[in-house]
Amino acid sequence: MTDFTDRQREIIDVSIQLISKGGIQELTIKNISKSIGISEPAIYRHFSNKMDILLGILSHFKNNTKSTLERITSYEISAVKRLESIFFSHFQQFTAKPAMAAVIFSEEIFQNDKRLSEEVFLIMKLHQDAISVIIEKGQKSGEIRSDIFKEQLSLIIMGTLRLIVTKWRLSSFSFDLEKEGANLWNSIKKLIVL
Amino acid sequence: MTDFTDRQREIIDVSIQLISKGGIQELTIKNISKSIGISEPAIYRHFSNKMDILLGILSHFKNNTKSTLERITSYEISAVKRLESIFFSHFQQFTAKPAMAAVIFSEEIFQNDKRLSEEVFLIMKLHQDAISVIIEKGQKSGEIRSDIFKEQLSLIIMGTLRLIVTKWRLSSFSFDLEKEGANLWNSIKKLIVL
Amino acid sequence: MTDFTDRQREIIDVSIQLISKGGIQELTIKNISKSIGISEPAIYRHFSNKMDILLGILSHFKNNTKSTLERITSYEISAVKRLESIFFSHFQQFTAKPAMAAVIFSEEIFQNDKRLSEEVFLIMKLHQDAISVIIEKGQKSGEIRSDIFKEQLSLIIMGTLRLIVTKWRLSSFSFDLEKEGANLWNSIKKLIVL
Amino acid sequence: MTDFTDRQREIIDVSIQLISKGGIQELTIKNISKSIGISEPAIYRHFSNKMDILLGILSHFKNNTKSTLERITSYEISAVKRLESIFFSHFQQFTAKPAMAAVIFSEEIFQNDKRLSEEVFLIMKLHQDAISVIIEKGQKSGEIRSDIFKEQLSLIIMGTLRLIVTKWRLSSFSFDLEKEGANLWNSIKKLIVL
DNA sequence: GATGAATGAGTTTTCATTCAT
DNA sequence: AATGAATGAAAACTCATTCAT
């Protein structure tokens, strides 16, 4: 749970935007420094190298994921409502920071280094485990259908969520993600509740 | 429907493998030429620049997609069987050429150029339209439930397909994609058939 | 005969160690400050720039050389004993501070600046003149053979001394310099005394 | 016994000159390329990195040393003449290529990497072993005095040789190395022959 | 005395591409 | 169809130094 300084947060933020705009190829120290308005060497006062910036991005995502999931888990609501909350909180976050959408589901960006890809895998598992646990409870309480394994239901839910976000991004954010997402969720609900 | 020479096909193939291994950062003329065993300038005999290689990759994917979809559309089978065929033919292809799995769903790779991202968008739409059409037919014939829009069903199906492939890749191809994919498809079937 | 503050002496000391470890390339303000445990700008409170640190090192060597030579010259002993004292006092100093051995005979380190290389030349001359004077006395008193010019004898003595120190250093100080040096000196004595 | 291309030999040559002029700090890819008159990246066609250039320099020295020593060993001459040949051939080489003198005895230059320092150590040992063997023969044949160990005599000879070369270099090559060297050798001869 | 933040100039190295052969 | 040699541009990173606090 690393604590970042203001400048570090700024660098992470700008980096996410750069990746979102043109892929990792766009994430250069020059581009970061230009975006912030400081010199290139100044970046190295705040992160000892580029890898550390990428790890910073992932750490930021992980903290985000953790606190969102913890918040939702703390609510006293039904399983389906819980899943809905996860769905909707993602859409809210992406609408607020569209750049995040381009990076958080792009495992490819982080695949060229073990430490990075492991971290990505961990974040993915965090989501999946949380969703699986919720589904399991829903299945036990009779809220959610039990004729399909919870792992598969969680795959279907997450996959759908990811794809609509990807489409939203590829369409240059041309539709209302929160609205379309809500519609989509209603359809998923129809499929999984008893 | 560009026709590629043997060498061009070789370059495209090797390029897909390189991207699969380490992201686009790994796709350099040097790496391509080293993998093939020819000199760097030799690459330029076959593609006039790097962009053309990337376009070549996408053209290859598009041709693949088209012929697969055409083949499946030509069969006289039910809508559900058709969807299943699309699912399974993907899993077969990825199992045969795992590198493809890392590239075909990675829109981020091609996002830094308009011609590339448009091409990516087109391939995605090709799939989606085909699936939508099939679902529509299935809904009309009473095979598939009609209380959910075909666009949404197609999103759910494609999203799930994509995510299991991504997981397979991130796990370093550590499970049997064809088997797990078949299981998953059975679950999806339960959800969408009447 | 500059007087150094404690901090300045510390910086000079640490600098010698750094050069000893990895050549001048290792002597950076960052490395100095890290070794001491203060910030980089803090170094500039004590030396106005890097050149001044290098001059400080040489000044330190010069003071050392001078006082050693003066001390030895003050003794009322024979010429041969005097030469032996110079030899042995070097070995003692290097054994106590091995890092010095790597720097004091490395004229190359200081060659890229006139002020530095002149200073180096001067220190070398200090040694040589002292040795020459002693040899001359020894030759006049009949202690040392006179069929070889004092300049050449001094070259032979100093060259041998330097080389054994270099070998000691290149062997990572793996033998007892004082012992081996004493043996070597006995052999030299055989060569030069009548 | 690596074979170098013309360009590689040129790079090695220029590198030795640069180091001679201003120490390793002067040996930058920029300076090399500027001296030769090609671009910086062009250097990398001929050496894959800077380390390889340094290894190239040492390989050059090693080959030189080996062939010189082999040549001298092949002559049917007395031990003393042999030593003299080694002495004189060094002085000839340095007079022809003064830059070499600044690099070949500067172990410090190569100390920041294991592979380099090991290679330096090896070259030094090559010389020393050759001289030791010659001295041993001379002692057996009664040519050279036997009351001093051959290792020590070799140290004295090599140390003296090195120091006069260093002085020649520090004096900006201001005296005739071959002449002064010859005088010095005559004095050494007086010391070691019976 | 000391530090956090910053910078201009420079380091090694890689990249896509060109050209003469 | 292929290669050896080369290059301009740019990459990540380091260095000595400055300045406000």
Side-chain angles (χ1 to χ4, degrees):
Chain A
M1 195 75 59
T2 346
D3 269 348
F4 292 115
T5 64
D6 283 3
R7 201 46 126 196
Q8 282 179 320
R9 254 190 300 275
E10 196 181 0
I11 291 170
I12 287 173
D13 223 66
V14 154
S15 296
I16 293 171
Q17 279 168 254
L18 285 168
I19 295 174
S20 161
K21 210 210 320 174
I24 343 147
Q25 317 238 49
E26 197 73 6
L27 186 71
T28 66
I29 302 295
K30 192 177 213 156
N31 283 344
I32 297 173
S33 60
K34 220 192 298 170
S35 298
I36 295 184
I38 58 176
S39 71
E40 293 179 51
I43 302 294
Y44 289 90
R45 276 273 145 204
H46 305 283
F47 287 97
S48 55
N49 50 41
K50 199 180 168 181
M51 177 61 64
D52 268 16
I53 298 177
L54 288 167
L55 286 168
I57 294 173
L58 290 177
S59 167
H60 173 67
F61 285 162
K62 203 193 201 163
N63 292 347
N64 237 31
T65 301
K66 273 186 185 160
S67 64
T68 300
L69 292 177
E70 274 166 21
R71 181 171 47 77
I72 290 167
T73 317
S74 73
Y75 300 157
E76 276 302 323
I77 48 176
S78 73
V80 171
K81 274 278 164 203
R82 243 182 249 268
L83 292 175
E84 186 178 287
S85 292
I86 291 178
F87 242 72
F88 286 9
S89 72
H90 271 112
F91 295 147
Q92 264 170 39
Q93 276 187 46
F94 293 149
T95 301
K97 293 201 173 187
M100 263 188 76
V103 182
I104 209 164
F105 292 154
S106 297
E107 290 79 14
E108 304 72 21
I109 296 174
F110 304 101
Q111 82 184 129
N112 61 342
D113 182 88
K114 243 193 193 164
R115 274 151 77 211
L116 291 174
S117 55
E118 277 170 11
E119 201 67 12
V120 164
F121 190 79
L122 239 137
I123 296 174
M124 206 176 185
K125 209 169 155 356
L126 231 52
H127 272 115
Q128 200 173 282
D129 288 353
I131 292 177
S132 273
V133 166
I134 298 170
I135 290 175
E136 189 174 25
K137 280 189 193 158
Q139 288 180 323
K140 278 194 181 144
S141 72
E143 239 187 302
I144 295 173
R145 59 193 294 171
S146 296
D147 58 339
I148 297 178
F149 291 129
K150 61 180 198 291
E151 290 83 10
Q152 296 188 332
L153 281 180
S154 111
L155 214 66
I156 291 165
I157 292 174
M158 279 182 68
T160 307
L161 166 65
R162 287 169 66 107
L163 184 50
I164 197 176
V165 172
T166 295
K167 286 197 68 179
W168 178 61
R169 180 163 55 78
L170 292 184
S171 78
S172 307
F173 318 108
S174 67
F175 59 85
D176 183 335
L177 180 64
E178 295 196 68
K179 214 172 96 189
E180 294 286 322
N183 287 338
L184 188 58
W185 172 246
N186 281 329
S187 298
I188 292 178
K189 234 182 348 190
K190 277 190 208 159
L191 295 176
I192 64 168
V193 297
L194 283 172
Chain B
M1 193 77 57
T2 347
D3 268 349
F4 292 117
T5 65
D6 283 3
R7 205 44 131 193
Q8 283 178 319
R9 252 190 301 276
E10 197 180 0
I11 291 171
I12 287 172
D13 222 68
V14 154
S15 296
I16 292 170
Q17 280 170 254
L18 285 168
I19 295 174
S20 161
K21 211 213 314 174
I24 343 143
Q25 318 237 50
E26 197 75 3
L27 186 70
T28 66
I29 301 294
K30 193 178 203 166
N31 283 344
I32 296 173
S33 60
K34 216 192 299 169
S35 298
I36 294 184
I38 57 175
S39 73
E40 296 175 52
I43 302 293
Y44 288 88
R45 281 274 145 198
H46 307 283
F47 287 98
S48 56
N49 50 39
K50 196 181 170 182
M51 178 60 65
D52 270 14
I53 297 176
L54 288 166
L55 287 167
I57 293 173
L58 291 177
S59 167
H60 172 68
F61 285 163
K62 205 200 213 157
N63 293 347
N64 234 31
T65 302
K66 272 187 186 160
S67 65
T68 300
L69 292 177
E70 273 166 21
R71 179 169 49 77
I72 289 166
T73 318
S74 74
Y75 300 158
E76 277 301 325
I77 47 176
S78 73
V80 170
K81 273 279 166 203
R82 245 182 248 268
L83 291 175
E84 185 178 287
S85 291
I86 292 178
F87 240 73
F88 287 9
S89 72
H90 271 112
F91 295 148
Q92 264 169 38
Q93 275 187 45
F94 293 150
T95 302
K97 294 201 173 187
M100 264 189 77
V103 183
I104 209 163
F105 291 157
S106 297
E107 291 79 15
E108 304 73 21
I109 296 172
F110 304 101
Q111 81 186 130
N112 59 345
D113 182 88
K114 244 193 194 163
R115 275 149 77 210
L116 292 173
S117 55
E118 277 169 12
E119 202 67 12
V120 164
F121 191 78
L122 239 137
I123 296 173
M124 207 175 183
K125 212 169 152 357
L126 230 51
H127 271 114
Q128 201 172 284
D129 288 353
I131 291 177
S132 273
V133 166
I134 297 169
I135 291 174
E136 191 175 24
K137 278 190 195 160
Q139 287 179 322
K140 277 195 182 142
S141 73
E143 234 188 307
I144 295 173
R145 58 194 292 172
S146 297
D147 57 340
I148 296 177
F149 290 129
K150 64 178 194 294
E151 291 82 9
Q152 296 187 331
L153 281 180
S154 112
L155 213 67
I156 292 165
I157 291 173
M158 278 182 69
T160 307
L161 166 66
R162 287 169 66 108
L163 184 50
I164 196 175
V165 172
T166 296
K167 287 197 67 181
W168 178 61
R169 181 163 55 80
L170 292 185
S171 79
S172 306
F173 317 108
S174 66
F175 59 84
D176 183 333
L177 179 64
E178 296 195 68
K179 212 171 100 189
E180 294 285 322
N183 287 338
L184 187 57
W185 171 248
N186 280 330
S187 298
I188 292 177
K189 237 187 337 193
K190 278 189 208 160
L191 294 176
I192 64 168
V193 297
L194 283 172
Chain C
M1 192 75 60
T2 348
D3 269 348
F4 293 116
T5 64
D6 284 2
R7 207 37 135 198
Q8 282 179 318
R9 252 191 299 276
E10 196 180 1
I11 291 171
I12 287 173
D13 221 68
V14 153
S15 296
I16 292 170
Q17 279 169 255
L18 285 168
I19 295 173
S20 161
K21 212 211 317 174
I24 343 145
Q25 317 238 48
E26 197 75 4
L27 186 70
T28 66
I29 302 293
K30 191 178 204 165
N31 283 345
I32 297 172
S33 59
K34 214 191 302 171
S35 298
I36 294 184
I38 57 176
S39 73
E40 295 175 54
I43 302 292
Y44 289 88
R45 280 274 146 197
H46 306 283
F47 287 98
S48 56
N49 51 40
K50 196 179 169 182
M51 178 61 64
D52 269 15
I53 297 176
L54 288 166
L55 286 168
I57 294 173
L58 291 176
S59 167
H60 172 68
F61 285 162
K62 205 200 209 156
N63 293 346
N64 235 31
T65 302
K66 272 186 185 160
S67 65
T68 301
L69 292 177
E70 272 166 22
R71 179 170 49 77
I72 291 167
T73 317
S74 73
Y75 301 157
E76 276 302 324
I77 47 176
S78 73
V80 171
K81 274 277 165 204
R82 246 183 248 267
L83 292 175
E84 185 177 286
S85 292
I86 292 178
F87 241 72
F88 287 11
S89 72
H90 270 113
F91 295 148
Q92 263 170 38
Q93 275 188 45
F94 293 150
T95 301
K97 294 201 172 188
M100 265 189 75
V103 183
I104 209 163
F105 292 155
S106 297
E107 292 80 15
E108 304 73 21
I109 296 173
F110 305 100
Q111 80 185 128
N112 59 344
D113 182 88
K114 244 193 192 163
R115 275 149 77 210
L116 292 173
S117 56
E118 277 169 13
E119 201 67 10
V120 164
F121 191 78
L122 239 137
I123 296 173
M124 205 174 184
K125 211 171 153 359
L126 229 53
H127 272 115
Q128 201 174 285
D129 288 354
I131 292 177
S132 274
V133 166
I134 297 169
I135 291 175
E136 191 175 23
K137 279 190 195 158
Q139 287 179 323
K140 278 196 181 139
S141 73
E143 234 186 308
I144 295 172
R145 57 195 293 171
S146 297
D147 58 340
I148 296 177
F149 291 128
K150 64 178 194 295
E151 291 81 12
Q152 296 188 331
L153 280 180
S154 113
L155 213 64
I156 291 165
I157 292 173
M158 278 183 69
T160 307
L161 166 65
R162 286 170 65 107
L163 184 50
I164 196 175
V165 171
T166 295
K167 288 197 66 182
W168 179 62
R169 181 163 54 78
L170 292 184
S171 79
S172 306
F173 317 109
S174 67
F175 58 85
D176 183 333
L177 180 64
E178 295 195 69
K179 213 171 100 189
E180 294 287 321
N183 287 338
L184 188 58
W185 171 248
N186 280 330
S187 297
I188 292 178
K189 235 181 351 189
K190 278 190 206 158
L191 295 176
I192 64 169
V193 298
L194 282 173
Chain D
M1 195 74 60
T2 348
D3 268 349
F4 293 114
T5 64
D6 284 2
R7 200 51 124 192
Q8 283 179 319
R9 254 190 299 276
E10 197 181 359
I11 291 170
I12 287 173
D13 223 67
V14 155
S15 296
I16 292 171
Q17 279 169 255
L18 285 168
I19 294 174
S20 161
K21 210 211 319 174
I24 342 145
Q25 319 236 49
E26 197 73 6
L27 186 70
T28 64
I29 302 294
K30 192 176 213 157
N31 283 344
I32 296 172
S33 60
K34 219 191 300 171
S35 298
I36 294 183
I38 57 176
S39 71
E40 295 178 50
I43 302 293
Y44 289 87
R45 276 272 146 204
H46 306 283
F47 287 98
S48 55
N49 49 42
K50 199 179 169 182
M51 177 61 64
D52 268 17
I53 297 176
L54 288 167
L55 286 168
I57 293 174
L58 290 177
S59 167
H60 173 68
F61 285 162
K62 204 195 200 161
N63 293 347
N64 236 31
T65 301
K66 273 187 186 162
S67 65
T68 301
L69 292 177
E70 273 165 23
R71 181 170 48 79
I72 290 167
T73 317
S74 73
Y75 300 156
E76 277 301 325
I77 48 177
S78 73
V80 171
K81 273 278 165 203
R82 245 182 247 266
L83 291 176
E84 186 178 287
S85 292
I86 292 178
F87 242 73
F88 287 9
S89 72
H90 270 113
F91 295 148
Q92 263 170 40
Q93 276 187 46
F94 293 149
T95 301
K97 294 201 172 188
M100 263 188 76
V103 182
I104 210 164
F105 291 155
S106 297
E107 291 79 15
E108 305 72 23
I109 296 174
F110 304 101
Q111 82 184 131
N112 59 343
D113 182 89
K114 242 192 193 164
R115 273 149 78 212
L116 292 173
S117 56
E118 277 170 11
E119 202 66 12
V120 164
F121 190 79
L122 239 137
I123 296 173
M124 205 175 185
K125 211 171 154 354
L126 229 52
H127 271 116
Q128 200 172 283
D129 288 354
I131 292 177
S132 274
V133 166
I134 299 170
I135 291 175
E136 190 175 25
K137 279 189 195 157
Q139 288 180 323
K140 279 195 181 141
S141 73
E143 236 187 304
I144 294 174
R145 58 194 293 172
S146 297
D147 59 338
I148 297 179
F149 291 128
K150 64 179 195 291
E151 291 82 10
Q152 297 188 332
L153 281 180
S154 112
L155 213 66
I156 291 165
I157 292 173
M158 279 183 69
T160 307
L161 166 66
R162 286 170 66 108
L163 185 50
I164 196 174
V165 172
T166 296
K167 287 196 69 181
W168 178 61
R169 180 163 55 78
L170 292 185
S171 79
S172 307
F173 318 109
S174 66
F175 59 85
D176 183 332
L177 179 63
E178 295 195 67
K179 213 172 99 188
E180 294 285 322
N183 287 338
L184 188 57
W185 171 247
N186 281 329
S187 298
I188 291 177
K189 234 182 349 191
K190 278 191 206 156
L191 294 176
I192 64 168
V193 297
L194 285 172

